[in-house]
Each structure stands twice: as structure tokens, then as C-alpha cells.
Amino acid sequence: MTKAFDAIVVGARCAGSPTATLLARKGYRVLLVDRTSFPSDTISTHLLHPLGVEALARWGLLDRLVATGCPHIHTYRFDFGPIIISGSQGTEKSPVAFCPRRTVLDKLLVDAATEAGARVRENFTVEEIVIENGRVVGIKGRSSHGGSSIDRARVVVGADGLRSTVAEAVRPEHYDERPPLLAAYYTYWSGLPMEGRFENYIRDRRGFAAMPTHEGLTLVIAGWPYEEFAKNKTDIEGNYLKTIELAPAFADRLRSAKREVRFAGMAVPNYFRRPYGPGWALVGDGGYNKDFITAQGIMDAFHDAELCAGALNKAFSEEHPLVEAMDEYQWKRDARVKPMYDFTCQLATLEPPRPEMHQLIGAIHGNQKAMDAFARMNAGTLSPAEFFAPENISRLTDTA
Ligand SMILES: Cc1cc2nc3c(=O)[nH]c(=O)nc-3n(C[C@H](O)[C@H](O)[C@H](O)COP(=O)(O)OP(=O)(O)OC[C@H]3O[C@@H](n4cnc5c(N)ncnc54)[C@H](O)[C@@H]3O)c2cc1C
């Protein structure tokens, strides 16, 4: 069999383009395909936490993002009604977050893959994963101009999102699955200045968040429990505005702003998939997904890209057997994201904070160091496992 490529990456957004870039930079022959073209939007808000920003810096792409005029975010503010926790979410090395439009971020990532030497094929839909003797050996797809082709590779990486064609073909083991928990809708507003803040409002079975993005716009997303999805979808705008009215001061600010586009939104399932097998790998949402309430997906996709490309490099260069290297990818991924996965699934129920949480929030209120730690935990800069460790909680509450 002629192996035309070392790796074929299906899907060219947050997970796929960096995977292709990192492999191509190592000198591997990479084909990156996507059924869409870039720039293009996708249904997703786009808060990029500091550790995601740090990944862009590592890849030499942060300056390009900054040059697009995307405003930075220096403070995360959590409004629980009677109590507000406001803190710095970053690290000394990577202090700020951004909320780049996906039209801008994803294009920047695809361009980086092209520059690294990956062959990029846009408007190309993968219709079939080619499997021979139980091993994935390539893809069969069609370009929007009508031409169909088969390409072969040592590994096909599925970076093709929630409804991954690669995952559908290889049927990986699923584990720790939870159903959709939250339904949320977002839109963009002009005339709603945020002064460098990401604001989060937590109310009984409701929540919303606001963050500044490109072109002087502010993204505002509002949500309710998934049980209300069907009922509320008949009046998205009414339910969205009613949710925002739960925080009257913010609702006042919104009244003087202008909505610029239609609402978009959805609900997503929560799952882990085994991310590798004979001739295939999964990264990003294709490999695991959790509710967007903690806005970790883009950053996690970046981490997957680094871990998976690193593992493939070890295998291709014969430093480690493929299975060993990919097994390390899986356990490193799972160990890193599992505490945030559990925290996110709890938060996405929108149930009122438990009494211990109330007590904790009351205890850290006004203690800047503790509030920074809370902001860092929500940003994924500090693991929830570390933040909620009993000794840390006693330290925080004793100080209070
Ligand atoms: C409502 C909502 C809000 C969110 N908010 C945030 C947030 O604020 N911050 C954050 O970090 N994350 C957020 N997320 C999560 C984030 O969008 C995802 O985690 C992230 O997009 C995952 O990137 P990906 O590259 O794995 O997949 P995707 O972004 O889904 O990209 C998959 C790509 O694969 C391509 N593709 C699929 N099938 C094929 C095929 N057969 N052939 C060719 N191409 C194919 C698609 O065209 C697409 O371009 C949100 C998600 C939702 C739904």
C-alpha cells in the first residue's frame, strides 16, 4: 500500500488545525480536510481561557490574534445575586483571556497549518473511512466541485466534532457519559461595554454570561435546564430576556445596547470516547465533550492537539510503540480534564449552589487572593481538584 500521507486530519478548526500544524512542523506529510471553507462561523461562543492563550503563544500565533484587534479580558466576575466574586483568572505568564470570533480564530489556525506545510483541502466532505483488515487506512471523500477521491495515511485523526464521521466509523468505547444538561442561546450586542471583564450571572435554574469580542461587540449567552429546552424554544428571545431581567443592573445596561444578529444556540451531550485505535485517533469534541458552561472546549482541543501530535511523533519516529504513546495521550487527557468534567456537569444542571458552596463563596468574598483562585478554577487555570481539596477549602475559609 502506498502511504501518501503520514496523517490525515479530518476537521480543520480548534482541534484539527493545530494537530496538523504541529505534525507538519515536525516534517510529517499531513493532509487536513474540512467540509467547510475558512473563514466561516460555527455554533459556539468562544471564550478562550488563559491556558488556551498560552498554547497560541507557544505556537507563535498569539501576536497574530492580538493584531486582529480582539480585546483582552483581565477579570472574571461571578454574580451570585447577593454576593459578587471578582478575580484575575490567569497566571503570571499568561494573565489574560480573549473571546475571538471563530471566523477569526479558526482561519488563523488553518493558515498556520498551511504555512507549516500541511496540504489543506477545504470544501471537502469525508464520506467514508477506509478500513482494511480492521485497520483504518484512509478516507474517501468528495469536494464541493464534485470530484471524489481516496487518500491513504498511517493515521486518520478525527477532529470532526460532536458528530464525528471518524468516530462513527470506528465505534470507540464511550465512558462516563451524561445526557445534555443545559440549553443556551447567544447573540452579539453593540453598545454594551465590558471594560475587560467576563461577567457571569448565576441565578436559580438560570444563568447568563457576557464577554467582549471583535468589532466592539459583546457576546451574551443565557441558558436554562435542558428539561425546559422544548418548551422554551418556542420563544427564545422572550426567555433569554427574562433570564437577563434576573440581574436588573445588567438588564438596564442591555436595554441601551443593540442586538446585531439572530440568536444561535444548542444543547450538547457529555462523554468521553477512547481516542485511538488501529490507524485512527480522535481529538477535540470528536474525542470527548462536556457542556459549554465552563467554556473549556477550545482550550481542551488545543491541549488534545499537542498531546496527540506529540504521541504520534513519538510513534512515527519509533521512540515509542504507537499503542504505548497513544495510551499515554488518553490517560493524560483524561487525568487533566476529569475534575473539570465533573465540576462542569454539576454546574450545568443550574441547580442552586449547595450549602457548602454558599458558605465557601461567602467566606472568600472580599479576600482577593481567594477570589483570584476561584476565578482561576473556573478558567481551568487551577484544577477544581486542587481548588476543592479539603486542605485548600479549610485554608480559604480559615483565612476568612
Ligand atoms: C453553544 C456553545 C458554546 C460554546 N462556547 C464555548 C466557549 O465559550 N469557549 C470554548 O472554549 N468552547 C466553547 N464551546 C465548545 C467549542 O465550540 C468546541 O469544544 C470546539 O469547537 C471543538 O473544536 P473541534 O475542532 O473539536 O470541533 P469543531 O469546532 O466542531 O470542528 C469540527 C470541524 O470538522 C468538520 N467536519 C465534520 N465532519 C466532517 C466531514 N465528514 N468531512 C469534513 N469535515 C468535517 C466541520 O466542518 C468542522 O469545521 C461551545 C460549544 C457550544 C455548542
Side-chain angles (χ1 to χ4, degrees):
M1 187 184 81
T2 315
K3 291 191 175 91
F5 295 96
D6 294 305
I8 295 174
V9 183
V10 184
R13 293 191 186 269
C14 311
S17 283
T19 305
T21 300
L22 297 173
L23 287 171
R25 283 182 183 175
K26 288 277 177 205
Y28 297 112
R29 294 159 305 164
V30 180
L31 172 65
L32 173 65
V33 303
D34 201 299
R35 65 179 165 212
T36 192
S37 62
F38 297 92
S40 59
D41 214 346
T42 181
I43 297 188
S44 169
T45 63
H46 32 82
L47 182 63
L48 180 62
H49 295 300
L51 294 187
V53 174
E54 199 175 305
L56 286 182
R58 268 197 302 281
W59 305 334
L61 302 176
L62 180 56
D63 290 348
R64 294 187 194 185
L65 176 65
V66 172
T68 65
C70 190
H72 71 261
I73 298 171
H74 51 69
T75 299
Y76 283 15
R77 185 177 180 277
F78 301 87
D79 181 319
F80 293 90
I83 291 182
I84 293 170
I85 303 291
S86 184
S88 305
Q89 73 284 2
T91 59
E92 215 168 288
K93 194 167 160 204
S94 188
V96 298
F98 288 91
C99 182
R101 291 297 295 260
R102 292 292 295 264
T103 43
V104 175
L105 177 68
D106 296 0
K107 170 73 176 145
L108 191 150
L109 296 171
V110 178
D111 286 351
T114 307
E115 281 168 33
R119 189 134 134 224
V120 178
R121 210 182 276 164
E122 299 180 26
N123 299 309
F124 182 88
T125 302
V126 174
E127 295 174 325
E128 193 186 320
I129 303 304
V130 183
I131 301 176
E132 288 173 1
N133 302 320
R135 183 179 183 84
V136 169
V137 294
I139 57 167
K140 185 173 176 197
R142 182 176 296 279
S143 87
S144 57
H145 312 300
S148 137
S149 58
I150 293 181
D151 295 277
R152 288 173 172 259
R154 294 158 84 178
V155 171
V156 172
V157 181
D160 46 352
L162 281 172
R163 282 172 279 277
S164 164
T165 304
V166 177
E168 204 175 292
V170 300
R171 300 189 174 280
E173 173 204 348
H174 282 59
Y175 48 101
D176 211 349
E177 288 179 273
R178 327 253 172 108
L181 299 162
L182 170 75
Y185 294 87
Y186 65 93
T187 184
Y188 297 88
W189 300 79
S190 57
L192 182 61
M194 296 300 295
E195 316 296 351
R197 282 188 314 273
F198 163 62
E199 297 182 11
N200 219 306
Y201 294 81
I202 303 100
R203 296 293 185 271
D204 190 10
R205 295 173 65 77
R206 291 289 181 276
F208 71 89
M211 53 212 106
T213 184
H214 282 101
E215 294 171 2
L217 296 177
T218 292
L219 189 171
V220 182
I221 180 165
W224 35 85
Y226 186 68
E227 304 93 82
E228 299 181 47
F229 175 56
K231 176 168 68 84
N232 289 357
K233 121 175 136 175
T234 54
D235 180 15
I236 290 166
E237 181 171 20
N239 283 295
Y240 176 96
L241 293 174
K242 247 194 274 171
T243 301
I244 284 164
E245 287 297 340
L246 296 171
F250 188 89
D252 271 351
R253 282 162 65 195
L254 199 76
R255 268 188 281 280
S256 53
K258 178 170 178 265
R259 178 157 73 82
E260 296 291 347
V261 293
R262 290 192 315 180
F263 288 95
M266 64 192 283
V268 298
N270 304 277
Y271 58 78
F272 283 82
R273 291 175 182 149
R274 179 184 156 94
Y276 74 94
W280 60 270
L282 298 172
V283 288
D285 286 3
Y288 96 101
N289 190 53
K290 62 178 170 290
D291 193 275
F292 42 79
I293 194 165
T294 46
Q296 306 281 311
I298 301 171
M299 177 173 78
D300 286 350
F302 287 180
H303 281 123
D304 277 8
E306 279 187 333
L307 287 175
C308 182
L312 289 175
N313 178 41
K314 280 184 190 167
F316 291 163
S317 60
E318 294 177 2
E319 194 183 317
H320 283 295
L322 183 70
V323 170
E324 208 176 278
M326 295 306 279
D327 191 48
E328 188 183 355
Y329 160 47
Q330 179 175 10
W331 73 252
K332 277 191 173 164
R333 177 196 70 170
D334 290 5
R336 196 184 72 77
V337 301
K338 172 72 172 141
M340 183 53 92
Y341 183 80
D342 291 337
F343 176 69
T344 302
C345 290
Q346 168 60 36
L347 211 59
T349 62
L350 295 180
E351 279 166 11
R354 286 195 284 248
E356 322 80 88
M357 189 66 173
H358 257 304
Q359 206 187 346
L360 176 67
I361 291 162
I364 65 174
H365 178 236
N367 172 346
Q368 196 54 57
K369 236 173 130 182
M371 293 197 296
D372 288 347
F374 184 79
R376 286 208 306 278
M377 185 271 292
N378 279 274
T381 312
L382 174 68
S383 168
E386 215 178 303
F387 181 81
F388 288 112
E391 58 280 17
N392 191 48
I393 295 295
S394 351
R395 205 170 31 243
L396 294 176
T397 45
D398 288 353
T399 314

